[in-house]
Amino acid sequence: MRDALGTIYQDQSFAHLFPQNGRPVEAPWRLAFITVVQFIEGLPDRQAAEAVRGRINLKYALSLELTDPGFDFSILSDFRKRLLEGEAEQVLLDAMLALFKERGWLKERQRQRTDSTHVLAKVRAINRLMCVGEAMRFALNSLAVVAGDWLLEHSDPDWLDRYGHRIEEARLPQSQEERQAVAELIGRDGSHLLTALYAAEAPALLREIPAIEILRRIWVQNYVWIEGQLHWRSHDDLPPGKDFINSPYDQEARYGKKRETRWTGYKVHLTETCEEKRPHLITHVATTAATTTDEAMTETIHAELEQTALTPRQHLRGFWLYHGTDPGLEPATRRHSA
């Protein structure tokens, strides 16, 4: 990478992410470079920091002396956090695209293709019953930290046994009738807690706890009041998948399905050049909800390619992965032509 592409990144591209005073930081261009190396080699932060300390090839790529002691692994997660909070993650790709244009590898009017693949949320895959149980546990744990005395005053003693441990499928009954009874018991507990939280005399600060708002939304989605009784919603009465919360620990993660693949999380749409005699280069990346269809993103991606002077001659949207074409499939089965 160093011999063919140079250092790729420049410190000034990341200057707006760091304060102008305080302690000196590790050179941002090095952190960006090692972030790319981490992805290529599948290295977690600790192993990446250790590799920088011990591998001559990485010291060469990062312009470090052989005796350089490297850096603490926590710097890498801090750098990624700065990228995300500063909405600067695109800088990593844009710098490469600029370099590829300089080398003549990337030109406008090249044939390009887009396809998507799944991104798993960093949560357990759980069903609706486990979700409401975990939402209740999450809310109680959050209240215990912020307002322990208030929680003791407004909680049921049985809640400790019911929600004091992670909700596991193995602990839940098997019959549909018994599972619905458990769901409605949890529903009554959550409704009791929400009623106390939204009472006029309750501290307003408690309603601002993120776990409480998540609990309220999950209860609206999963329960309905009928003639003064709380009932577990049927599957036919649930909100659309694009709005349905699947885990209290990641309220933006959605259930997705693409052919045989099913997952909870997000979807990433990758666009690459696909000229036969040129290197295939990623030109655009877009992350969306798992429920966003591939067709819905084609026009958006094409418009953003135009803004970066990478308008394709032909923009394909077909049944392939970004890293290769399945020769058994017709690549132009579904396509958008510029």
Side-chain angles (χ1 to χ4, degrees), residues 313-333:
R313 181 179 75 256
Q314 188 179 52
H315 189 180
L316 305 176
R317 181 62 117 154
F319 299 103
W320 52 72
L321 294 178
Y322 74 92
H323 51 70
T325 303
D326 184 345
L329 297 175
E330 174 57 42
T333 300

Side-chain angles (χ1 to χ4, degrees), residues 22 39 46 51 57 94 107 123 162 268:
F39 178 79
R46 287 179 184 272
N57 60 344
D94 287 346
K107 299 179 180 180
V123 295
R162 207 169 292 158
V268 61

